Structures are given as structure tokens and as C-alpha cells.
Amino acid sequence: MITINEHYLKLQASYLFSDIARRVTAFQKEKPTVDVIKLGIGDVTMGLCPAIVTAFQAAVVEMGNDATFRGYGPEQGYPFLREAIAANDFHSRGAEVGVDEIFVSDGAKCDTGNIQEIFSGDSRIAITDPVYPVYLDTNVMAGRTGDFVDGRYQGVVYLESTRENGYVPALPREKVDLIYLCFPNNPTGSTISKAELQTWVDYARENRALILFDAAYEAFLRDPSLPKSIFELPGAREVAIEFRSFSKSAGFTGVRCAYTVVPKECTAYDQAGNRHSVHALWHRRHSTKFNGVSYPVQRAAEAVYSAEGKSQTKAQIDSYLANAELICTTLDQLGYSYTGGKNAPYVWIEAKMDSWQFFDMLLNQAGVVCTPGAGFGKCGQGYIRLSAFNSHDRVAEAMARLKKSLS
Ligand code: MLT
């Protein structure tokens, strides 16, 4: 008899963004004349930059010619892309990352979801609340949690991120093994200072823990004092893995390219306390289960680091940040409290009512889609998230509608 992985039965009915998409589709079916503006899922709306398109097209042409065609590529990614990543994203900021410590992949969602596979089933996980649901759900699937009781999975250490602590959680009081941090944060848009992040690195070193640092939104950081990479901090190479993505930084949500950095010093232990290289484990997993990102996509990603690519992608991000500013200004005028939107594409808003109720109200009264904070965890109840990923005109229209329905 074939039996199922019963841990799946503990999961909530559906993935947050699928749930929202279903509700929006139902609404649109019922009210087809409403022009719905989506500020829910953080999906980019601007076309790929010209420098990226040119490189992408040239690589596709190469693939159509026997002399320049490429079959299976290196599982870890082509050296041309990994070299560009190491030089531009790390060495330029004084962070030591080797080319062979970079694993190119098809998405940070997949990587942050898959990474837990190489750690033991009884690892104690610590996640922030609110949190990007992938970190939690993938650990539920792997059996690292108990049942879902009163809005939380048993056995998980929740690190509360609230208005009181500026949405940067305190260190756990108990010992944990695997810590998920995301800064600039999804969903709250909060940022972490170097000094605050250093306390996490120090905690991990003292407790033989490991930090999974999701930096998918680092391109939105405009405050130069804030860390873009955890590897800017001393000691982090022993205790941290970092996830990056071209999705939000270069508009690759539909193209798919990301990377994960696993330093060679990064260590985990077996039950007897012997040290093991996390890099070696991830390399084994990656080369067994993944066959690399396509050549044209990697050439397109490489073009992000050209002079034109840098200025064109920066202009796109500036434009999303201008949308975020417009959202913040509108909220100021409406008297709503919020955080984020400065060095992040998300604005986290105190809804003054139940999250899903606010979601329904905004959809019905203004035709605007937000993300209910409760979908990110218990601490998200009473909040909603607005995403700045849309055109300036659509965000301006959404804000005009918000003013009308909320004032
Ligand atoms: C979000 O809206 O939180 C993100 O777009 C989800 C993702 O990147 O997978």
C-alpha cells in the first residue's frame, strides 16, 4: 500500500498566494467590469532591461548554432556568471565569497525551501513571525514541526517581529539550530543594522547554529550603512548561508535565476558531534537533483552586471521605490501607521481590523488587492501588506481609490 507523507496533512489548506489568487479570480468572475489593481504578491511588472534582452537574445542565437550550442551546463552555474556575482555582489563590498561557493539556481523560493533537506529532521527551527511562508511550510512537510494549534505549529520557535521591537526580533531565549532571517524583510519591509545582525552571527557561533539569510530584496537598500550581505560581518562565513535572487532586482520572476552562497567554512554536525562541511552537502544535493539554469538565462543574468545593466536595473528599482514612497505618503494622509517602503518594496500597514476583512473590504470597495498579514503568521493579524511592484500610474490610481474608500 502506498502511503503518504502525513506531515503534509498538518499544512494549512493552501499556499497563501494561491489562496489570494483564487479569491481574486472569483471576485473578477463575479464583477467582471471592475478594473482590479494588484498590489498583493510581489511580482515585478516592468519588462526586462534592454541590456538583459540583448544578452538573452544573443545567447538564444548561440543555442541555434551547432558551433556555439551548449548542452548540459555546470550544475553550479557557468563560471562567467559566478565570477560576475562574486566580484559585483560581494568583493565590491569587502565580503569574502569564492566563485566556487556560489550555486546558481532557478529561484530563491526553491533554494530556501530545499536547503532544509540537508539538516537533520530533529533540528530546532526558528522563524520570524510574520514570515515568508515557504520557510515554515517546507519544514512542516519535512516533519520538523508538530500540529498546527491556535495559529502556530508546535515545536517551532517563533521570533516575534512587532511594532515594539521595530520588526527586528530578539535573540531566542532557548537554543535553536536553524534560524531563518530575511532582510530587507518580507513581509514587513523592515531592515536590520550591521550591529543587530552581528548579534545573530555571534549567537549562531556560540550555539553551533546556522543562519539562513534571505537577501532577495537587497537591491532595494538605499541606506549605505545597512548590510546587503551577511558576509559583510565578521564570523558569518562559519555560520551562514545566503540566498539571492534576480527576480526582484532585475525583473526575473518569469525568467527564473537566483543563487545561494554556501561558504566552505560553514559547518554542521552529526549526532556524535563531528563537524561536516555544509558546502559539500549542498554541492552533493545540488548536483544530484538539479541540472543547472539554462545558458541564455545565465547570460541574461550576467548582463545585469554590465555597466548598462547596472544603471538600467537601478532605474527600475528606483521606480518601484518611488511607488513605495507614494504608498507611504498616502498612508500618512489617511492616518495609517506602517513600516517598510523605504529600503524595501513592501509596506506593512496596521489595518485597524482583521487582516482578511480588510483584504475583502479593499477588494470590494476599491478593487485593490493587498496581502492579508495574517497569512504570514499570528503576529500579522491586524496588518496588511502592500507591494510597490506595479506601474506608477496603477499605484497612483490604487492610492486614489484608497483615499476614497478609507478616508
Ligand atoms: C511575495 O509576494 O511575498 C513574493 O513575491 C513571494 C515570492 O517571492 O515567492
Side-chain angles (χ1 to χ4, degrees):
M1 178 176 77
I2 177 70
T3 55
I4 61 162
N5 173 355
E6 291 196 20
H7 299 304
Y8 274 65
L9 302 179
K10 297 177 201 159
L11 290 165
Q12 297 307 285
S14 62
Y15 182 60
L16 174 63
F17 294 107
S18 319
D19 192 10
I20 293 169
R22 213 178 24 254
R23 286 173 188 238
V24 174
T25 306
F27 174 82
Q28 282 177 311
K29 214 168 160 186
E30 200 183 306
K31 298 188 177 159
T33 54
V34 177
D35 170 28
V36 172
I37 304 178
K38 293 182 181 168
L39 302 182
I41 189 165
D43 194 3
V44 292
T45 55
M46 278 183 245
L48 295 173
C49 296
I52 296 170
V53 173
T54 304
F56 209 169
Q57 282 173 329
V60 171
V61 171
E62 279 185 66
M63 292 296 277
N65 184 332
D66 288 354
T68 47
F69 171 78
R70 315 238 183 168
Y72 291 126
E75 293 109 352
Q76 238 186 289
Y78 283 100
F80 62 76
L81 177 56
R82 289 188 282 132
E83 280 159 16
I85 291 169
N88 289 282
D89 289 346
F90 299 100
H91 302 169
S92 67
R93 296 189 60 88
E96 185 197 339
V97 164
V99 169
D100 56 354
E101 294 174 330
I102 296 164
F103 296 79
V104 175
S105 78
D106 60 351
K109 178 180 181 179
C110 318
D111 286 351
T112 54
N114 290 330
I115 195 81
Q116 47 75 31
E117 260 186 57
I118 62 172
F119 303 108
S120 75
D122 60 0
S123 303
R124 280 151 303 178
I125 66 156
I127 57 143
T128 58
D129 180 358
V131 75
Y132 177 46
V134 172
Y135 316 149
L136 183 58
D137 286 2
T138 51
N139 277 289
V140 175
M141 291 170 179
R144 269 187 210 92
T145 74
D147 288 331
F148 192 68
V149 179
D150 194 21
R152 285 191 166 170
Y153 286 98
Q154 292 178 324
V156 173
V157 174
Y158 287 89
L159 309 165
E160 299 198 347
S161 304
T162 58
R163 195 218 290 223
E164 287 66 41
N165 59 26
Y167 303 95
V168 177
L171 294 172
R173 273 186 237 109
E174 56 275 80
K175 253 171 104 63
V176 297
D177 305 312
L178 208 49
I179 303 158
Y180 289 80
L181 295 179
C182 172
F183 289 102
N185 187 256
N186 179 13
T188 65
S190 63
T191 54
I192 192 165
S193 69
K194 279 190 181 169
E196 287 165 332
L197 189 52
Q198 187 69 57
T199 66
W200 286 93
V201 171
D202 295 344
Y203 171 93
R205 295 181 77 195
E206 276 156 28
N207 292 281
R208 293 186 165 191
L210 191 83
I211 299 169
L212 300 173
F213 189 71
D214 186 349
Y217 298 94
E218 57 72 36
F220 292 82
L221 286 168
R222 287 292 181 264
D223 178 343
S225 71
L226 298 170
K228 279 184 167 253
S229 167
I230 196 166
F231 301 122
E232 290 172 32
L233 303 174
R237 285 179 54 82
E238 294 158 36
V239 290
I241 291 175
E242 181 165 308
F243 304 91
R244 293 274 189 112
S245 171
F246 294 96
S247 283
K248 317 293 159 89
S249 62
F252 274 47
T253 53
V255 176
R256 311 307 307 149
C257 196
Y259 67 88
T260 290
V261 179
V262 189
K264 297 251 173 87
E265 287 98 307
C266 192
T267 300
Y269 303 82
D270 62 24
Q271 297 295 337
N274 302 308
R275 298 160 65 94
H276 293 272
S277 158
V278 175
H279 180 278
L281 293 178
W282 185 243
H283 185 274
R284 187 69 175 84
R285 194 264 175 211
H286 197 76
S287 52
T288 304
K289 293 197 178 184
F290 190 63
N291 246 345
V293 172
S294 79
Y295 173 70
V297 167
Q298 293 195 56
R299 280 292 184 200
E302 181 195 26
V304 172
Y305 299 105
S306 66
E308 300 79 21
K310 280 181 191 169
S311 75
Q312 291 165 4
T313 51
K314 180 176 177 298
Q316 287 197 338
I317 290 166
D318 284 347
S319 150
Y320 290 130
L321 282 169
N323 291 345
E325 200 178 324
L326 177 59
I327 294 172
C328 294
T329 310
T330 307
L331 294 167
D332 286 335
Q333 290 164 355
L334 289 169
Y336 276 80
S337 300
Y338 60 88
T339 190
K342 300 278 181 292
N343 291 282
Y346 298 126
V347 186
W348 185 246
I349 305 156
E350 290 183 40
K352 305 179 195 170
M353 65 170 83
D354 173 87
S355 297
W356 281 103
Q357 233 176 326
F358 194 96
F359 169 89
D360 285 334
M361 184 191 77
L362 213 56
L363 187 57
N364 283 290
Q365 291 184 13
V368 173
V369 180
C370 67
T371 307
F376 296 103
K378 208 169 176 173
C379 292
Q381 179 52 274
Y383 289 79
I384 59 120
R385 189 193 76 176
L386 283 180
S387 150
F389 291 113
N390 215 316
S391 69
H392 180 77
D393 288 354
R394 296 294 276 167
V395 173
E397 166 66 18
M399 292 306 106
R401 293 190 201 171
L402 237 72
K403 276 188 194 165
K404 213 165 147 195
S405 75
L406 298 180
S407 32

